[in-house]
């Protein structure tokens, strides 16, 4: 490859605009966030509509609603300078895309309140690790541990939590030793 062509390719790579990174947006399940723009919203796309919903609520405003725990991407196109990759013939012209990485966290407030008020579950902590719920600690009794698992399954669904708890309390072990 001749030297001028290499130099040209190097300059193109260095001067080309860098792609925009997706902005992070965190929501609690059932909560909403409003995003304002300097231009009207032309188009919106959500990669996983079961996790979040996005819709324009005013010409320059987008509402994002967290529906279920998880992660999804939201792409927003604004009216403005024509972006040939977005929609070459769109009217009004559609400008460059803005990306959002949306994480929806489960609502653990009510569950934490119940766990703290249950006498067998007072040693349990309810934590969030991203969109996952993590249960840690030791229950007072074996029955308390069973109750915790049933409650968490009912509240967060099967597989909606990580159970790192242990069953505590007095446990009796029967041993039968015989000498012949």
């Amino acid at each position: 490859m001749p030297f001028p062509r290499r130099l040209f390719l190097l300059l193109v790579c260095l001067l080309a605009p860098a792609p925009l990174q997706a902005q992070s947006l965190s929501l609690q399940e059932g909560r909403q966030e409003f995003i304002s723009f300097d231009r009207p919203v032309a188009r919106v796309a959500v990669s996983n509509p079961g996790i979040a919903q996005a819709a324009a609520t005013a010409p320059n405003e987008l509402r994002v609603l967290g529906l279920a725990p998880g992660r999804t991407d939201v792409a927003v196109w604004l009216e403005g300078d024509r972006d040939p990759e977005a929609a070459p013939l769109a009217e009004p012209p559609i400008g460059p895309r803005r990306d959002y990485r949306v994480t929806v966290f489960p609502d653990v407030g009510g569950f934490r309140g119940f766990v703290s008020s249950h006498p067998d579950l007072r040693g349990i902590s309810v934590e969030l690790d991203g969109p996952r719920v993590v249960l840690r600690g030791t229950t007072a009794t074996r029955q308390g541990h069973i109750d915790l698992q049933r409650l968490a399954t009912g509240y967060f669904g099967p597989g909606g939590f990580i159970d790192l708890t242990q069953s505590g309390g007095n446990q009796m072990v029967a041993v039968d030793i015989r000498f012949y």
Side-chain angles (χ1 to χ4, degrees):
M1 183 182 286
F3 180 73
R5 186 172 178 197
R6 286 184 189 164
L7 181 61
F8 174 74
L9 290 175
L10 177 64
L11 286 174
V12 167
C13 290
L14 292 175
L15 298 177
L20 295 175
Q21 293 287 344
Q23 295 181 29
S24 294
L25 178 64
S26 298
L27 298 170
Q28 187 176 348
E29 183 179 12
R31 303 292 175 133
Q32 61 189 359
E33 183 83 24
F34 291 90
I35 304 170
S36 296
F37 299 100
D38 59 348
R39 293 184 276 173
V41 175
R43 191 168 77 189
V44 177
V46 180
S47 64
N48 188 343
I51 302 295
Q53 179 184 62
T57 54
N60 294 24
E61 185 177 72
L62 183 74
R63 173 184 174 246
V64 181
L65 172 65
L67 299 175
R71 289 189 175 101
T72 188
D73 295 308
V74 174
V76 181
W77 290 268
L78 303 177
E79 291 182 11
D81 302 330
R82 191 177 299 278
D83 181 0
E85 292 180 17
L89 302 176
E91 289 299 330
I94 295 178
R97 184 180 79 224
R98 298 188 186 187
D99 294 322
Y100 294 87
R101 180 39 102 65
V102 179
T103 303
V104 179
F105 297 97
D107 180 7
V108 297
F111 187 76
R112 278 185 179 141
F114 184 79
V115 166
S116 66
S117 68
H118 192 290
D120 287 345
L121 305 179
R122 290 202 177 129
I124 301 300
S125 69
V126 181
E127 304 165 8
L128 286 174
D129 180 20
R132 299 177 302 181
V133 176
V134 180
L135 306 175
R136 299 181 194 274
T138 304
T139 61
T141 64
R142 173 76 179 129
Q143 186 58 47
H145 192 256
I146 293 168
D147 290 346
L148 176 66
Q149 290 175 331
R150 286 182 182 157
L151 290 168
T153 300
Y155 203 87
F156 303 113
F161 64 97
I162 299 170
D163 185 5
L164 301 178
T165 61
Q166 299 176 7
S167 175
N170 296 333
Q171 296 183 11
M172 210 154 83
V173 177
V175 178
D176 185 14
I177 300 175
R178 296 182 186 187
F179 294 97
Y180 296 98

